[in-house]
Amino acid sequence: MIKKIKEKKTLNEKRCLEHYLEILKNSCSDFIEIKLAYENACAELGERFEYIDKIIEYNNDMLLLNLRLSFNQGFKDNVEHFAKPNAPTFLDENYDATLKEKEILNNEEYIDIFVKRAKLVSLIPDKENDLYEHIVEYEAFLNTYIPKMAHYYGFISFDNSMKKSNADYKPDYNLNKRYKEWLSDYLDINLE
């Protein structure tokens, strides 16, 4: 049954990203300022550096891939919790947390995009580094928030999938609540 749900699960990364950005816009005090500086830097740098649009495209592709992998990992983590409800979870102190970033850093698609982007970034003239720093800040901001949000929503998505397909399924509401509270506090945002 779980395997069947996992196979049926698809994710529209762009729609999810838009939703996560809306959450950030409405609940994160730094987001609007960082995004505005990013947009201004993109516009200004775009007038003087021909590859900025391609760099932004690569940044977005990497973010969407990271979002998908993080969402899927959240789903898998809940599958594991369902299979072994008494095992430590990623929120427990005694959990042997191996960062799932290995999955991203070993992903061939991600590496390919990263290398292509790095080649273009190396062409940015030194005198434009101050502008490019705003792009880097926005990218770092999103790469801090979006994968964590995606993991959370992937985790919750498993519960929703199971409730629809298995009338006997009982979600671990305590773990879900702890995760939401921890993530909301950690990121200082309001999750649904």
Side-chain angles (χ1 to χ4, degrees), residues 2 43 48 56-57 100 111 132-133 136 156 164 184 188:
I2 293 171
R48 299 191 293 252
I56 292 166
E57 180 184 327
K100 306 300 182 186
I111 292 168
Y132 185 66
E133 282 302 312
V136 170
I156 298 303
K164 290 178 185 173
S184 294
D188 195 25

Side-chain angles (χ1 to χ4, degrees), residues 95-109:
Y95 181 69
D96 183 21
T98 54
L99 292 175
K100 306 300 182 186
E101 291 173 359
K102 289 188 297 186
E103 188 173 339
I104 293 166
L105 297 177
N106 291 325
N107 182 288
E108 288 181 25
E109 183 181 358

Side-chain angles (χ1 to χ4, degrees), residues 25 29-44 131 134-135 137-139 141-142:
K25 179 179 140 192
S29 59
D30 297 338
F31 179 71
I32 293 174
E33 182 181 331
I34 291 170
K35 185 174 185 221
L36 184 60
Y38 162 80
E39 289 170 346
N40 291 336
C42 288
E44 196 173 331
L131 278 176
H134 293 292
I135 295 170
E137 182 180 16
Y138 183 69
E139 177 188 351
F141 183 92
L142 294 183

Side-chain angles (χ1 to χ4, degrees), residues 39-61:
E39 289 170 346
N40 291 336
C42 288
E44 196 173 331
L45 193 53
E47 293 174 6
R48 299 191 293 252
F49 181 68
E50 65 182 301
Y51 299 115
I52 197 63
D53 288 340
K54 195 64 179 172
I55 290 171
I56 292 166
E57 180 184 327
Y58 288 146
N59 288 346
N60 291 338
D61 290 346

